Structure formats: C-alpha cells, structure tokens
Amino acid sequence: MTYATVIALLTDFGLQDGYVGIIKGVIHCINPYLTVIDIAHEIDPQNIAAGRFCLMNAYPFFPNGTVYVAVIDPGVGSRRRGVAIQFPQGYLVGPDNGLFGGVLSLSEAIAAVELTNPNYWRVGDPSSTFHGRDIFASVGAHLASGISLNALGTSISPDSLIKFPLKEVIITANHVHGYIQYIDRFGNLITNILGELVRGHNWSVEIAKLPIKTALTYNEVSREELVSFIGSHGWVEIAVNGGSAQQKLQVNWGDQINIFLG
Amino acid sequence: MTYATVIALLTDFGLQDGYVGIIKGVIHCINPYLTVIDIAHEIDPQNIAAGRFCLMNAYPFFPNGTVYVAVIDPGVGSRRRGVAIQFPQGYLVGPDNGLFGGVLSLSEAIAAVELTNPNYWRVGDPSSTFHGRDIFASVGAHLASGISLNALGTSISPDSLIKFPLKEVIITANHVHGYIQYIDRFGNLITNILGELVRGHNWSVEIAKLPIKTALTYNEVSREELVSFIGSHGWVEIAVNGGSAQQKLQVNWGDQINIFLG
Amino acid sequence: MTYATVIALLTDFGLQDGYVGIIKGVIHCINPYLTVIDIAHEIDPQNIAAGRFCLMNAYPFFPNGTVYVAVIDPGVGSRRRGVAIQFPQGYLVGPDNGLFGGVLSLSEAIAAVELTNPNYWRVGDPSSTFHGRDIFASVGAHLASGISLNALGTSISPDSLIKFPLKEVIITANHVHGYIQYIDRFGNLITNILGELVRGHNWSVEIAKLPIKTALTYNEVSREELVSFIGSHGWVEIAVNGGSAQQKLQVNWGDQINIFLG
C-alpha cells in the first residue's frame, strides 16, 4: 500500500443530512492518509439501477487499487449480504443487491467475501439501519490500508453475486428495441443499447415512428431540437441541444426506445 | 499538531454558488496541509435546528482534535457572538446561535472564547454578511494549525453559550409525548425521544391513535408500510419501507409524536 | 511545483450522476498528489453567466498557482475552442465561451493557448460530448504537475478570448440603472452595480418606485423585510431578512434594478 490509496464513495445519502460526512469521519479515524473521492451522493434515494449505472461508468477512470465503497441499501438490516469483491483493478465494498452488477458486466471478479468478520466493523454490534457507517466504510478503510480480502469474512463465489442485468435488447431485421436505462441531470436519455450495435449503420432513433437526427454531438442540431448519438459512456443517448430530452419527450426510466437501422 | 489535522465543515451554503469553495480556498491559503472534510452543505437555509442536529450526529465519528467550522448564520453582522469552543475531543468554531447546542448536550466544553482578535481573521475589516469566509474559516484554519484557543479572543464562560434545547419529552403512565426534531432526505422522521426511554418496553408509535409496527429495521414490514425503530443516531425514528414517512403522513418538523408504552 | 498544488473545479455537472467523480478519477490517475477543491458543481445546467459569476467570486480566495478547471460547456463538440489561460495568480482551463470573462475582468491574462496538443488529453480521440473528462481534467492535471502552458497547444492572443461582458450600468443625475446578474441559493439578488458606484452616497434601491432600506447587513431590518447593501462580493445586493428576495419580489435573472442616489 502506498500513501495515495484511494477510497471512492457512491451513495444515495444526499448532502443535506451529514450521513456522507459521518462515513468520511469513520474512514479518517481508521486511516487519515487515505484519499477519499466522491463519485456521487445525490443518486435518487434507493435507486439501485441508477447507482449501478453511475458506478459502472466511473469505474474505468479511477487508479488501480481503488477501493469503491458504494451504499444504496434499501435492504439494510435484512438478510441481504454485505460483500467485498476483488477485481484486477480494485475492490468493491457494499450491499449485494445488484449495485455492483454494472462493474461485474465490465470486469471479471477474482474473489469475493461476505463481510462476516466483525473485527473490521466499526463496532461489533452495528446499527441495523446504517451499515454504511458501521460496516462498509470501516471495512473499506481497512481494505485500503492493507488488510487482505480473506480476513474480512467468508469466501463466496463471485457467481453468486446479484447481477441486476439490464433487460435484453431485441434486434430485428430493421430495428433495435431497447429502453431508457438512465436519465441524467441534463435530461439526457441513456439507453441500454450499446453503440457497437449501431455504429457503421445508417441508424436513427424513432420517436412516435418519426426519425430524429443522428449526430456526433448536441450542436449539430438547432437549439431545442432532438438529437441522438453514441454517448461518452458508449451507449446510444438521446438529448436536446440546450434543453432536456426528458422534458421535451415526457418520458421516464424504463420507457422503450426504438432504433431504425437503414 | 500533526499533518493529518482535520477541519470538518457544516454549512447551509449549498453547492450551487461557490460559497463553500471560497471557504476552502481561504483555509487552504492559511495551511495547505489540512484535511478538509465536508459534513453537509445542503442544510435547509437558515435552519439552525437542522444544523444543530447534523453536527451533533456527526461529532462522535470524527478523529480527536478535529476542528469543526459550522456556519448557519442568519444573524451574521448583528450582535450575535462568533465563538470557538474547546471540547475534550476537538473544537467548534462559528456563530453562537444554538448551532452548537447539540454537541454541548453530548460533551462538556472545557473553554470558550469570543472571536475578538482580528489577527486571526482573513481581513481586519470583515464583510458584514460573510463571516464564514472572513472570520470562521480563517480562525478554524489557524486553530487547526496550532494557534491556541486563548489567542483567538476574549475568554467567555461555556455556560453563556446558547444551547437551543429541544422541547421537553413528556412521560405519562402509558405514553411518551415528543415531536419530530428532524426529517432527512429519505423522509424518515427523527423524534426527540431517546431510545433509552422506550428500550425494554413493549412500545409503539401511535398515528391517529393507531399503533404502527415496531421493528429493528425498515425491512421487517411490507413495502410502503410504516415502521418505527430506534435509529442509528439513538432516537426513535419513523420510516416507510421503500418510501417517505413524511409524504405518507403529511407531517412536518415540530409535529407531535406519541408513543404508547405497553 | 510543490506537493500542495491545487486544482479547483467548477462545473454544472451536478452531484447525482457521477460526472464529477469521473473528473476527479482522471486527475488522480495523472497525479495522485494534487489537492482537488470543489468550487461548485450545482451551477444551473448550461448557465454560463452563473458559472462566470461564481468563478470570478472564488478566484481571489485561492492560493497562488491554483489551476482552475471549469466546465459549463453547452458547445462541447462544436468549434468553440478549448483553452488554458495563464494569470499572475494561476491558470484557467476549459471552454472559451465566456465562462472566464469574470476572471478576465479582474486580472489581466499573461498568455493563452488553444488546447490542440492531444499528448496531454486523456485519449487521442476524445468523446465529442465530454471534454471535461477527456481534455480539460487531463490538461489541468498536467498543468498542475509542471507541464508548461506552451506545451499544451497553439498560442493565442488573450484579447481573442470571449469575455461575455455584463450589460452596461447606466448612470443618470439621480439614478443608477442596472440589473440582476445572479441569484443565489438564499434568494439574494446580486446586481451588476459595483458598490463603488454608490458608496458615500445616500443611496436606496427602488422597488415599484418605492425605496427599500439600505443597511450593512440583513439584520438591520425586521424579519421578512427587504434590505439592500453592498454584498461580500462587492456588488449591490438585495435580500430579505430570514427569507428570499427572489420569492418576495417574484423577479428573475436579468431583471432591471434601479438605485436612487440622494
């Protein structure tokens, strides 16, 4: 372990209640030399799909060895497992509820443990509603400080981890049918259709059966006009130049998106 | 003082205007080796009770020696005092308006000063509307860098500090009557009734005179069902599994909560 | 370059999507010893005027040598330039779209380059919608790590940078006419009228042709009453003690403000 070991945090705790600050206090008490980086904390409350997406998108951009502590945890206190997962590039720590399914779709896990060893929890008798504070932050800080994965609990098969897979994309002769997997702050609609499926084709997203313009970026269409392109994350995305595609189209997470392949 | 000295920040400045960034710039100019940790900045504007609660909850989880700079300051520029308070575990810096009453209820102050020495302010002639920038951040950074409490101003009695006490809990033969002291981002209702008052009893919160389920965590009830438990902070809390108790009950800060003791 | 070199970030990315975390991951991969400070990330989406204002306000409070990476970039992927600008006190990196006009009004640029050298980008073939990640964060981290300005691209004249000037203030015999250049989280209205224009006069802001009270701070008027003063940033500001002037007056960005000079 070197000085610069990073803990990256992603939660739905928001920034109005101090829960994130408490997590950082716990980490800092264990090892004040860790570098803590926030990925996002304003994820929609209890929206595991949103957290899954954001964590997957951020994962490729952090240094090797990063420990990700991610907590969107509607099942806290139930029998859902707390886990730590080792990847070639780093470690994930948090609830086994699908939140890690995106990263698991990008990279194969080397090993995983269920967090059963209370020696690395903040207290032996954790709160039943705030495992982020009492288990995950503490375990993450120990892991980033050199404690081995195996010390943290019982080994489990990475295959047993909950994947929360995206619904399948359906490909027909002239169409690709997918759905909106994420909507960001700008109202951009990110589909579950990978750019690879359409790249090289003469493709266009159809809205109410009419095609919208396909481009490389927002600015190739007029202000307030719809446009689709392969986003910076690699998925087909629908946006409005200078506006919100969500507002313009009055759509929501999970709504179907159809692409015509010319 | 060691390298890892921490300044923990709590404000109602929000994250849309750059006020928090300015505070950090000021601290960093004084001592670039301090570790600055955000507790929360999206506290409701001018809601001293909310800040009081969040600071009290975060306080036990930070390292010894932490300097807390907390600024929710509707009285800035008036005759309210700016203070620094020494505790066995750290220091508080900010306006004397009740914001520190929660921590004062947990731990006895060793000493306190009114911030009357402009040598440790950012400028001798501070703005009358942004003491966070011109006085508190600067004083906090100096304190975290080894300046003694007494150097910062005139000694005052800790007894003279504004406590902003919670309203009293009323205990009758079969009931405990309290109120909602805080509502968090998830819509969880946190009462002013300490878990110790009900633990060991067969207790239940009554809503419209009907008891709701008492449990250890959210998941012991069905989705969308109300539940109460002793929260991770130690207070009796009312929640909805997978939803917002505030929305379901249409209640607000300060509303009365009754617990039946069986 | 010393250990404590600072990168200060300002974006409209918000804190719900992980974009800010990705930026920090990129910076950290290039140089884990940089200190990254957030100025603000909840700037209104695509509101260049708001970003311009916040960056200008924060600029005087950061250490010498700070590299500011600022990304509010509705024109990403179009022909707007990406630039780095050297000032006596630090460097700005981001899109040349007016975002830097506020700092340029405070301080004279020493030199500027268009970011044409892909050696300092994250990848040679950047996304056309996320230059924050693929160009600006990477260039900023290199600049903060000792790479020279000239290495980053083609030298351009600082005079050619987009200034996004404020509309002119009009001064008549008895009046100063300006407008609301910014509204903050508290609903305070910040005009484009510099305090110097009115200081020393017997001035008052007129709302519906009636003067409101002029004071030094919020507390010199009753609760819920309007007040105007010279704000901590140096501009004439209109506020409500314990409330929001925006809500009380039902005004918006760009609305006209008239000051009577007695």
Side-chain angles (χ1 to χ4, degrees):
Chain A
M1 284 300 120
T2 68
Y3 161 72
T5 302
V6 172
I7 295 200
L9 300 178
L10 178 141
T11 75
D12 64 349
F13 294 168
L15 298 161
Q16 71 193 62
D17 298 316
Y19 297 134
V20 173
I22 288 172
I23 292 276
K24 292 180 181 175
V26 168
I27 291 170
H28 207 83
C29 285
I30 293 168
N31 183 346
Y33 299 104
L34 296 173
T35 299
V36 178
I37 300 182
D38 299 307
I39 298 178
H41 294 294
E42 296 278 3
I43 305 280
D44 252 4
Q46 311 196 331
N47 189 335
I48 295 171
R52 179 194 185 282
F53 179 81
C54 291
L55 190 59
M56 171 179 65
N57 269 347
Y59 181 80
F61 299 100
F62 279 79
N64 275 332
T66 294
V67 174
Y68 302 81
V69 174
V71 193
I72 297 175
D73 197 10
V76 62
S78 71
R79 277 180 292 179
R80 70 98 187 90
R81 303 183 291 193
V83 295
I85 315 171
Q86 183 179 1
F87 290 86
Q89 286 188 273
Y91 298 88
L92 305 186
V93 177
D96 178 30
N97 61 12
L99 188 54
F100 300 141
V103 176
L104 285 162
S105 75
L106 293 181
S107 180
E108 204 170 339
I110 295 170
V113 297
E114 184 175 353
L115 302 175
T116 51
N117 185 351
N119 291 342
Y120 299 105
W121 303 354
R122 195 183 64 82
V123 287
D125 181 25
S127 150
S128 45
T129 53
F130 198 178
H131 287 189
R133 177 189 76 189
D134 293 340
I135 299 182
F136 302 130
S138 174
V139 162
H142 284 296
L143 196 51
S145 305
I147 297 297
S148 75
L149 187 80
N150 287 328
L152 301 173
T154 314
S155 177
I156 58 176
S157 164
D159 292 341
S160 74
L161 295 164
I162 294 177
K163 305 295 189 303
F164 200 150
L166 299 179
K167 276 183 283 181
E168 240 174 299
V169 169
I170 294 166
I171 303 175
T172 63
N174 291 317
H175 280 89
V176 182
H177 303 282
Y179 68 99
I180 300 171
Q181 71 160 311
Y182 190 85
I183 301 177
D184 73 12
R185 125 175 266 230
F186 300 96
N188 298 326
L189 314 174
I190 296 155
T191 72
N192 69 330
I193 301 168
L194 274 170
E196 274 84 78
L197 288 178
V198 300
R199 212 189 300 270
H201 291 267
N202 186 4
W203 63 278
S204 54
V205 171
E206 290 177 344
I207 302 287
K209 304 212 170 164
L210 294 173
I212 64 170
K213 208 161 177 177
T214 303
L216 286 175
T217 185
Y218 315 103
N219 291 280
E220 296 179 33
V221 299
S222 312
R223 269 188 83 82
E224 305 296 336
E225 196 183 341
L226 283 161
V227 59
S228 66
F229 50 87
I230 301 170
S232 63
H233 30 63
W235 308 92
V236 170
E237 180 173 338
I238 301 158
V240 161
N241 182 11
S244 159
Q246 180 179 30
Q247 269 180 27
K248 187 169 185 112
L249 295 173
Q250 293 292 314
V251 291
N252 217 327
W253 297 60
D255 286 1
Q256 198 180 320
I257 296 294
N258 303 313
I259 294 181
F260 178 75
L261 291 181
Chain B
M1 285 299 120
T2 69
Y3 162 71
T5 303
V6 172
I7 294 199
L9 300 177
L10 179 142
T11 75
D12 65 349
F13 294 167
L15 297 161
Q16 70 192 63
D17 297 316
Y19 298 134
V20 173
I22 289 171
I23 291 277
K24 292 180 180 174
V26 167
I27 291 170
H28 207 83
C29 285
I30 293 169
N31 184 346
Y33 299 104
L34 296 172
T35 299
V36 178
I37 299 181
D38 298 308
I39 298 176
H41 294 294
E42 295 279 3
I43 305 279
D44 253 4
Q46 311 196 331
N47 189 336
I48 294 171
R52 178 193 185 282
F53 179 81
C54 291
L55 189 60
M56 171 180 64
N57 268 346
Y59 181 80
F61 300 100
F62 278 79
N64 275 333
T66 294
V67 174
Y68 302 80
V69 174
V71 192
I72 298 175
D73 196 11
V76 60
S78 72
R79 276 180 293 181
R80 70 98 186 91
R81 303 183 293 191
V83 295
I85 315 172
Q86 184 179 0
F87 290 87
Q89 286 188 274
Y91 298 88
L92 304 186
V93 176
D96 177 29
N97 61 13
L99 187 55
F100 300 140
V103 175
L104 286 162
S105 75
L106 293 181
S107 181
E108 205 170 338
I110 295 170
V113 296
E114 184 175 353
L115 302 176
T116 50
N117 185 351
N119 291 342
Y120 298 105
W121 303 354
R122 194 184 65 82
V123 287
D125 180 25
S127 150
S128 45
T129 52
F130 198 178
H131 287 189
R133 179 188 74 188
D134 293 340
I135 300 181
F136 302 130
S138 175
V139 162
H142 284 296
L143 195 52
S145 306
I147 297 297
S148 75
L149 187 79
N150 286 329
L152 302 173
T154 314
S155 178
I156 57 177
S157 164
D159 291 342
S160 74
L161 295 164
I162 294 176
K163 303 296 188 302
F164 199 151
L166 298 179
K167 277 183 282 180
E168 239 174 301
V169 169
I170 294 165
I171 304 175
T172 63
N174 292 316
H175 280 89
V176 181
H177 303 281
Y179 68 98
I180 299 171
Q181 70 161 312
Y182 190 85
I183 300 177
D184 73 12
R185 125 174 266 230
F186 300 96
N188 298 326
L189 314 174
I190 297 155
T191 71
N192 69 330
I193 301 168
L194 274 169
E196 274 85 78
L197 288 178
V198 299
R199 213 189 300 269
H201 291 267
N202 186 4
W203 64 277
S204 54
V205 171
E206 291 177 344
I207 302 288
K209 304 211 168 165
L210 294 174
I212 64 170
K213 208 162 176 176
T214 303
L216 286 175
T217 184
Y218 315 104
N219 290 281
E220 296 178 33
V221 299
S222 313
R223 270 189 81 83
E224 305 296 336
E225 198 183 340
L226 284 162
V227 59
S228 66
F229 50 87
I230 300 170
S232 62
H233 31 62
W235 308 92
V236 170
E237 179 173 337
I238 301 158
V240 162
N241 182 11
S244 159
Q246 179 179 30
Q247 269 179 26
K248 187 170 184 111
L249 294 172
Q250 294 291 315
V251 291
N252 217 325
W253 297 61
D255 287 1
Q256 197 179 321
I257 296 293
N258 303 311
I259 294 181
F260 178 75
L261 292 181
Chain C
M1 286 299 122
T2 69
Y3 162 72
T5 303
V6 172
I7 295 200
L9 301 177
L10 178 141
T11 75
D12 64 350
F13 295 167
L15 298 161
Q16 71 192 63
D17 298 315
Y19 298 133
V20 173
I22 289 172
I23 291 277
K24 292 179 181 174
V26 168
I27 291 169
H28 207 82
C29 285
I30 293 168
N31 184 346
Y33 299 104
L34 296 172
T35 298
V36 178
I37 300 181
D38 298 307
I39 298 176
H41 294 293
E42 296 279 4
I43 305 281
D44 253 4
Q46 312 196 330
N47 188 335
I48 295 171
R52 178 193 185 283
F53 179 81
C54 291
L55 190 60
M56 171 179 66
N57 268 347
Y59 182 80
F61 299 100
F62 278 79
N64 275 332
T66 294
V67 174
Y68 302 81
V69 174
V71 192
I72 297 174
D73 196 11
V76 61
S78 72
R79 275 180 294 181
R80 70 97 188 89
R81 304 184 292 191
V83 295
I85 315 171
Q86 183 179 0
F87 290 87
Q89 286 188 273
Y91 297 88
L92 305 186
V93 177
D96 178 30
N97 61 13
L99 188 53
F100 300 141
V103 176
L104 285 163
S105 75
L106 293 181
S107 180
E108 204 169 339
I110 295 170
V113 296
E114 184 175 354
L115 303 176
T116 50
N117 185 350
N119 291 342
Y120 298 106
W121 303 355
R122 195 184 64 82
V123 286
D125 180 25
S127 149
S128 45
T129 53
F130 199 179
H131 287 189
R133 178 189 76 189
D134 292 341
I135 299 181
F136 302 131
S138 174
V139 162
H142 284 296
L143 196 52
S145 305
I147 297 298
S148 75
L149 187 80
N150 286 329
L152 301 173
T154 314
S155 178
I156 57 176
S157 164
D159 292 342
S160 74
L161 295 164
I162 294 177
K163 304 295 189 302
F164 200 151
L166 299 179
K167 276 184 284 182
E168 240 175 302
V169 169
I170 294 165
I171 304 174
T172 63
N174 291 316
H175 281 88
V176 181
H177 303 282
Y179 68 99
I180 299 171
Q181 71 161 310
Y182 190 85
I183 301 178
D184 74 12
R185 127 174 263 231
F186 300 97
N188 298 326
L189 314 174
I190 297 155
T191 71
N192 69 331
I193 301 168
L194 275 169
E196 274 85 78
L197 288 178
V198 300
R199 212 189 299 269
H201 291 265
N202 185 6
W203 64 277
S204 54
V205 171
E206 290 178 343
I207 303 287
K209 303 211 169 163
L210 294 174
I212 65 171
K213 208 163 176 175
T214 302
L216 285 175
T217 184
Y218 315 104
N219 291 281
E220 296 179 32
V221 299
S222 313
R223 270 189 81 82
E224 306 295 337
E225 196 183 341
L226 284 162
V227 59
S228 66
F229 50 87
I230 299 170
S232 62
H233 30 64
W235 307 92
V236 170
E237 179 174 337
I238 301 158
V240 161
N241 182 12
S244 159
Q246 179 179 31
Q247 269 179 27
K248 188 170 184 111
L249 295 173
Q250 293 292 315
V251 290
N252 218 326
W253 297 60
D255 286 2
Q256 198 179 320
I257 296 294
N258 303 311
I259 294 181
F260 177 76
L261 292 181

